[in-house]
Amino acid sequence: QVQLVESGGGSVQVGGSLRLSCAATGAIDSSYSSYCMGWFRQETGKEREGVAVIDSAGRTDYADSVKGRFTISKDNAKNTLYLQMNSLKPEDTGTYTCAADRHFCTIRAMSESYYGIDYRGKGTLVTISS
């Protein structure tokens, strides 16, 4: 069984920074490096948004709303995905969920096939206050 567990969420003021982590455990261990990993976010009452994706070669894809402010990375040795979030804005508020898939490797692909993604975490809450 595979588990993705997010951490690092919290409450920060506008302009602040947070780093989210997503640790993968279980049967994914030996093949983690081959997975495409992504972050989604959703604020209550709003649509889910794909934030960033990184593929097995390290290529990245970002939503326009976070380009230049967020950085996605992964540490294959630790089976951990990260999202460094800087210059945070109130509209960055939401529950951030990580996802792993062997085939969907862009924001668009993951978003269109969200419920078919191989693995998804339960999320960590990020609140940005002004």
Side-chain angles (χ1 to χ4, degrees):
Q1 188 168 350
V2 174
Q3 279 193 319
L4 300 180
V5 180
E6 302 92 340
S7 62
S11 182
V12 298
Q13 292 190 324
V14 169
S17 297
L18 279 174
R19 188 175 82 153
L20 306 183
S21 299
C22 171
T25 60
I28 199 174
D29 284 357
S30 61
S31 58
Y32 180 83
S33 62
S34 67
Y35 276 76
C36 297
M37 305 293 297
W39 288 99
F40 288 84
R41 67 185 180 189
Q42 186 168 22
E43 189 174 7
T44 302
K46 296 186 179 180
E47 286 191 8
R48 182 178 54 249
E49 177 185 20
V51 175
V53 170
I54 184 167
D55 70 11
S56 59
R59 292 177 292 240
T60 57
D61 186 19
Y62 293 96
D64 287 343
S65 58
V66 306
K67 281 180 181 176
R69 300 188 298 121
F70 289 12
T71 302
I72 188 171
S73 62
K74 57 187 292 198
D75 186 333
N76 291 328
K78 297 181 178 180
N79 289 358
T80 301
L81 176 72
Y82 301 101
L83 185 68
Q84 178 66 44
M85 306 187 295
N86 299 328
S87 302
L88 285 162
K89 304 175 180 180
E91 52 264 42
D92 294 319
T93 293
T95 296
Y96 284 69
T97 302
C98 67
D101 196 273
R102 287 160 291 182
H103 304 295
F104 305 134
C105 296
T106 63
I107 288 177
R108 180 174 181 174
M110 278 200 175
S111 297
E112 291 179 349
S113 305
Y114 184 77
Y115 291 105
I117 291 173
D118 289 337
Y119 307 109
R120 300 190 305 272
K122 294 184 178 181
T124 185
L125 180 62
V126 171
T127 303
I128 312 302
S129 58
S130 56

